Amino acid sequence: MIVEIPHNLTPASLLGFSQTLDNLPDDELYEFDFGAARWFPPFSMLLLSVLLKRFRDQRPDSRCRARNHENHTYAAYLGFFQSFGLRHGNEPGEAPGSDSYVPITRLDVAEIQAEADAAWVEPGEIIEARARELSGVLTQTDSGPLFDTLSYAIREIIRNTVEHSGAEAVLLCAQHWPTRHEVEVGIADAGVGIQQGLANNPSYRGLTNRDALQTALMPGVSGNPQAGRGQEVWQNSGYGLYMTNRICRNGGRFMICSGDSAISLNQANKTELPCNMPGTAVRMLLNTHRLPELREQLQRFRDEGHQAAQTIRGANRSFASTASQMLSIDFDPDRGLDD
Ligand SMILES: Nc1ncnc2c1ncn2[C@@H]1O[C@H](COP(=O)(O)OP(=O)(O)OP(=O)(O)O)[C@@H](O)[C@H]1O
Ligand SMILES: [Mg+2]
């Protein structure tokens, strides 16, 4: 049978496609039609990659083919096709990366762990170094509000994969459009998903995917029952998703998808969408115009979070770990962002 890849590659249409794919009847041959050339945004590229990979893995007795993939030279260049096993174009991470994008990149969790062990440091430090590298590629600098914010946000989402998902690898892809004052970062894993991650904490067992997503975004909520005990920098405190989603919503957008549920948030609105996602996928859309004011807001986010955590069942009420507070950020508000 021929399976058409949605023409409109928005996250919403791909979440719909995740359900379509899962409901396809059995067949010997599936031919995926990529259609005419069009824009593949970073997060959409990641979603499609994890969905096609899962489809292939779930139907080992069927053959999968592609048609019209030759039309998509940019996606091929970024490693999209190879990322789900189709031998066409660059491998993930092969394209050099430029001042505007990070190609599809695969970080191996065991490698991060081994590197941390060899250097006698916590994996958080290795992840921080990777996140700063990626942020450096996107911003072409090594300091300033945009560099710091991106380093932080990318680090927190990668940490979550490494610390909670059980996945072998994390996939990411990102792009910066200086003239649009916009950065999009997509990070996905094929691990246990938010619902199961949270269920490691007895306070959050038996939640639906939807309720687990809502809960995980709250301050002080962690699947780690030890969250907030001890004062180590990298100790879980349940603030990673809370802080990153508030940062993105400051003029941008934050989306998280896991299992049969996705939530997309901007400053004023929440949209919920049904889907069928393996693991966890996060989309962060940052408005670079609004970052200088973020400095003052971070303290407020943390204080509001801490106050809210007092009323949330099972939440860590004592503190946000140093890592999750984002205190390492030292903004120079006079510095231009896109110059
Ligand atoms: N990729 C993921 N896979 C599985 N579960 C996840 C994932 N990301 C987050 N979670 C679940 O959501 C919870 C909340 O994540 P969050 O980043 O807010 O806090 P934390 O990681 O527990 O603590 P901190 O980020 O402060 O170190 C996690 O504890 C985990 O249970
Ligand atoms: Mg975290």
Side-chain angles (χ1 to χ4, degrees):
M1 93 178 50
I2 293 178
V3 185
E4 296 208 12
I5 301 294
H7 187 77
N8 191 357
L9 289 172
T10 60
S13 73
L14 287 173
L15 292 176
F17 185 61
S18 70
Q19 296 177 300
T20 310
L21 268 186
D22 211 51
N23 293 328
L24 286 181
D26 285 337
D27 204 348
E28 284 173 14
L29 175 67
Y30 298 94
E31 200 160 358
F32 289 91
D33 188 346
F34 287 87
R38 59 192 178 282
W39 170 236
F40 273 57
F43 179 68
S44 301
M45 201 145 56
L46 275 193
L47 278 188
L48 201 48
S49 172
V50 293
L51 292 175
L52 293 175
K53 170 111 183 25
R54 178 182 61 177
F55 184 86
R56 181 85 205 80
D57 291 347
Q58 280 178 343
R59 307 200 189 208
D61 299 330
S62 309
R63 285 177 299 144
C64 288
R65 296 278 177 275
R67 61 156 78 164
N68 288 322
H69 49 295
E70 308 87 358
N71 294 341
H72 303 276
T73 45
Y74 190 60
Y77 178 71
L78 292 187
F80 166 68
F81 295 105
Q82 297 275 4
S83 71
F84 59 88
L86 175 69
R87 249 173 266 126
H88 177 66
N90 280 331
E91 291 281 352
E94 195 176 334
S98 76
D99 55 345
S100 61
Y101 70 85
V102 171
I104 290 199
T105 304
R106 183 182 189 275
L107 300 181
D108 189 289
V109 172
E111 254 171 46
I112 291 173
Q113 188 64 55
E115 224 179 288
D117 290 347
W120 296 40
V121 297
E122 292 293 321
E125 281 191 40
I126 305 293
I127 296 167
E128 169 144 299
R130 296 280 165 88
R132 289 171 70 88
E133 252 171 62
L134 294 162
S135 175
V137 171
L138 287 168
T139 61
Q140 295 293 292
T141 176
D142 59 3
S143 62
L146 181 56
F147 174 83
D148 286 340
T149 306
L150 273 176
S151 303
Y152 169 80
I154 293 172
R155 185 195 77 192
E156 285 303 301
I157 304 302
I158 298 178
R159 271 184 72 207
N160 277 352
T161 289
V162 172
E163 292 168 7
H164 308 297
S165 79
E168 285 174 13
V170 51
L171 275 185
L172 66 107
C173 188
Q175 183 132 18
H176 177 202
W177 297 273
T179 50
R180 271 163 51 183
H181 305 286
E182 208 173 86
V183 179
E184 177 173 345
V185 180
I187 300 181
D189 67 62
V192 299
I194 299 286
Q195 188 261 339
Q196 220 178 302
L198 262 192
N200 286 319
N201 184 337
S203 300
Y204 304 118
R205 285 193 186 140
L207 299 177
T208 60
N209 281 301
R210 177 180 172 274
D211 289 347
L213 282 185
Q214 309 265 12
T215 308
L217 293 170
M218 293 180 188
V221 168
S222 177
N224 181 349
Q226 301 302 319
R229 307 221 177 124
Q231 296 284 331
E232 296 101 24
V233 173
W234 299 108
Q235 167 72 33
N236 288 140
S237 62
Y239 275 76
L241 288 178
Y242 169 74
M243 292 296 278
T244 44
N245 100 76
R246 292 211 64 177
I247 288 167
C248 293
R249 287 161 64 189
N250 189 41
R253 184 172 274 284
F254 184 89
M255 185 176 203
I256 183 162
C257 324
S258 187
D260 63 9
S261 199
I263 302 180
S264 177
L265 301 151
N266 65 11
Q267 200 144 28
N269 296 307
K270 174 167 86 176
T271 314
E272 295 188 49
L273 292 162
C275 58
N276 188 338
M277 281 298 302
T280 305
V282 170
R283 177 185 191 228
M284 299 189 281
L285 203 61
L286 285 166
N287 176 337
T288 62
H289 259 333
R290 303 283 287 273
L291 294 183
E293 65 198 59
L294 188 61
R295 183 187 197 179
E296 291 79 56
Q297 297 199 358
L298 287 173
Q299 178 80 24
R300 181 164 66 80
F301 292 166
R302 197 200 54 189
D303 292 347
E304 285 176 10
H306 190 243
Q307 212 166 6
Q310 309 303 317
T311 64
I312 298 169
R313 187 180 57 84
N316 152 38
R317 296 176 183 180
S318 54
F319 79 117
S321 70
T322 319
S324 290
Q325 282 182 41
M326 203 172 164
L327 282 186
S328 57
I329 285 211
D330 187 19
F331 287 165
D332 176 356
D334 298 328
R335 207 188 134 104
L337 280 174
D338 296 323
D339 43 32

